[in-house]
Amino acid sequence: MTGLVVLGSTGSIGQQALEVVRAHPEQFRVVGLAAGRNLDLLGRQVEEFRPLYVSAPALKEGSIWKESRVRSLVALCEMPEVDRVLVATVGATGLLPTLAAIRAGKVVALANKEVLVMAGALVMREARAVNVPILPVDSEHNALWQCLMGDCDLSPGQTRGPIQRVILTASGGAFRDWPLEKLREVTPAEALAHPTWVMGPKVTIDAATLINKGFEVIEAHWLFGLPYEQIDVVLHRESVVHALVEFTDGSFRAELGPPDMRIPIQHALTYPRRLPGPWRRLQLAELGKLNFAPLDRARYPCFDLALAAARTDGTATAALSAADDVAVQKFIRGEIAFTDIPALIDAALQAHRPIADPSVEEILEVDAQVRRFLEGSRAAGTPRA
Ligand SMILES: NC(=O)c1ccc[n+]([C@@H]2O[C@H](COP(=O)([O-])OP(=O)(O)OC[C@H]3O[C@@H](n4cnc5c(N)ncnc54)[C@H](OP(=O)(O)O)[C@@H]3O)[C@@H](O)[C@H]2O)c1
């Protein structure tokens, strides 16, 4: 039995992870659950899974809540009963718990991609030092990992093998077919409706601006230790092929599946075993054909901003992640237009002076500085109406 902690159990990934646990109750002991504000749902999950430990900002550390002991997010990851930690929080929240889990020698299943965007060099260095695997939950990276297996040595952050390049697929998000001049009028409700995936709010907006794909390029760079020149992105509307590897002999390998996060979540929670999945299967004959096309870069300025930050050493990508977080929250609150999101991120990146080889404290300080800068008046953007 795997002693499992789910950080972000009330979110989209967290709830789907608990569906995986329900499908295979003999495989998991839920040792800990952590949530943000949704104490109602967390309470129901606690009653169902009876975790030893629980964590939420509103609960007092050391107290007992519904028969579970309250721990900090970091302490939850270090408990001796824990084997595997699913990091399914969003934004900067997952950074310290991920580092704590690695240092405690726990296997980390990582969904919270911003952790690697903010601090990929540091996190992978620590994982290598203690030889703790970081198992990718993000569908594209989980797919790459499956495609690389067999031909490559997959030590943490250092893939060695006959790889020509890897290719991440992108659905293009909610506005892939909208006229460019109409993007300024996009409402939060429209941006929150993804054409193929059902996900939490931030990642759905990130998919609409395509900064999510920029984050995923950065994530792939750190997870697999591949140079940026070897990571390509292609538009693929159906979200059925999640990623591909081109090998040096000209052969391609792709991973396919329905757009259902329970599949990569289950793979990361049960690896190296592959358990049956009671989910709806891909029907190739129903699909008929799969489409691939180049990205229309003019449509997605956030993607280029992410790649530019990626090519700048040090804390530039931590600034990128914080700036995007603030810009997305401002857009959801109706304070800025959809097309102001790249402008805010650009303003933050222009103002940022990157620190080379940063410590975790320096990364968190950059995160806080960028948030203060963008919440202030100088780069506040323009209201939508
Ligand atoms: N959803 C997907 O299909 C998908 C696919 C690939 C990658 N990802 C990545 O996975 C991560 C999670 O995405 P999501 O869509 O599941 O996000 P989400 O639905 O917004 O869930 C975020 C979770 O984090 C929790 N949280 C927030 N603050 C917290 C805190 N201080 N302590 C503990 N928990 C806290 C939230 O709790 P409350 O709800 O209780 O406030 C919620 O459970 C993101 O980085 C995303 O990019 C998601």
Side-chain angles (χ1 to χ4, degrees):
M1 259 200 173
T2 302
L4 180 67
V5 161
V6 180
L7 306 183
S9 63
T10 50
S12 163
I13 293 287
Q15 291 186 59
Q16 294 179 82
L18 293 177
E19 281 188 51
V20 169
V21 172
R22 277 188 204 103
H24 303 286
E26 70 295 346
Q27 301 292 334
F28 300 100
R29 165 82 178 100
V30 177
V31 174
L33 294 175
R37 283 183 289 197
N38 192 346
L39 290 189
D40 281 349
L41 179 55
L42 180 65
R44 291 200 297 280
Q45 293 175 342
V46 165
E47 276 153 25
E48 179 179 353
F49 293 99
R50 303 263 165 223
L52 298 174
Y53 308 106
V54 70
S55 183
L59 301 178
K60 191 168 172 299
E61 211 178 325
S63 64
I64 303 279
W65 191 68
K66 297 180 188 284
E67 298 177 31
S68 299
R69 268 186 198 284
V70 178
R71 293 275 182 255
S72 71
L73 266 187
V74 162
L76 199 57
C77 301
E78 297 167 333
M79 302 314 291
E81 300 89 346
V82 178
D83 301 306
R84 205 165 283 213
V85 177
L86 171 64
V87 185
T89 41
V90 62
T93 319
L95 177 56
L96 292 178
T98 301
L99 287 171
I102 292 169
R103 288 170 186 158
K106 316 295 186 188
V107 175
V108 173
L110 187 65
N112 191 172
K113 64 188 82 182
E114 294 89 346
V115 167
L116 290 179
V117 175
M118 292 175 75
L122 183 79
V123 168
M124 296 315 294
R125 193 163 61 229
E126 298 243 2
R128 263 195 306 280
V130 289
N131 204 21
V132 160
I134 308 288
L135 307 180
V137 170
D138 220 345
S139 56
E140 294 79 357
H141 305 78
N142 186 275
L144 279 185
W145 176 37
Q146 296 192 48
C147 291
L148 291 165
M149 249 181 243
D151 285 282
C152 301
D153 168 14
L154 281 168
S155 336
Q158 279 181 336
T159 308
R160 290 201 182 80
I163 305 164
Q164 185 73 29
R165 62 179 176 141
V166 300
I167 305 164
L168 306 174
T169 59
S171 71
F175 309 117
R176 57 195 184 189
D177 297 321
W178 279 43
L180 284 181
E181 62 279 9
K182 286 201 76 183
L183 291 182
R184 192 165 175 78
E185 296 154 29
V186 159
T187 65
E190 287 164 336
L192 287 167
H194 193 277
T196 46
W197 294 96
V198 180
M199 308 183 285
K202 176 170 182 285
V203 64
T204 306
I205 307 284
D206 285 347
T209 63
L210 217 80
I211 200 164
N212 181 52
K213 210 50 60 180
F215 286 174
E216 289 176 4
V217 169
I218 298 169
E219 196 183 359
H221 167 74
W222 291 117
L223 272 174
F224 301 109
L226 293 169
Y228 285 112
E229 299 68 44
Q230 274 182 287
I231 308 171
D232 281 348
V233 174
V234 68
L235 191 72
H236 167 55
R237 293 171 167 267
E238 296 87 356
S239 302
V240 164
V241 176
H242 302 126
L244 308 91
V245 175
E246 181 184 351
F247 292 99
T248 47
D249 63 0
S251 173
F252 279 67
R253 190 177 294 154
E255 192 268 347
L256 286 77
D260 184 338
M261 283 307 295
R262 293 171 298 187
I263 297 170
I265 292 170
Q266 175 169 300
H267 186 248
L269 293 188
T270 61
Y271 179 81
R273 288 164 304 154
R274 204 186 266 278
L275 300 183
W279 341 111
R280 189 170 184 275
R281 298 310 168 105
L282 195 60
Q283 302 300 334
L284 285 176
E286 272 175 32
L287 269 171
K289 62 181 179 182
L290 296 170
N291 294 283
F292 300 94
L295 276 187
D296 172 6
R297 300 283 279 260
R299 182 174 288 279
Y300 302 113
C302 285
F303 179 71
D304 283 350
L305 287 169
L307 292 197
R311 290 198 161 88
T312 311
D313 278 344
T315 48
T317 53
L320 171 81
S321 177
D324 175 59
D325 204 5
V326 176
V328 167
Q329 298 316 323
K330 278 178 175 283
F331 169 66
I332 289 175
R333 294 196 301 262
E335 294 171 16
I336 61 168
F338 183 73
T339 44
D340 289 330
I341 295 176
L344 251 66
I345 296 171
D346 193 29
L349 290 176
Q350 296 291 338
H352 178 60
R353 295 285 156 265
I355 304 166
D357 197 18
S359 65
V360 68
E361 291 77 18
E362 286 170 323
I363 290 168
L364 291 172
E365 180 49 32
V366 164
D367 183 83
Q369 270 172 10
V370 170
R371 285 170 197 276
R372 281 196 299 273
F373 171 73
L374 286 185
E375 291 294 358
S377 56
R378 272 191 298 163
T382 48
R384 196 157 34 80

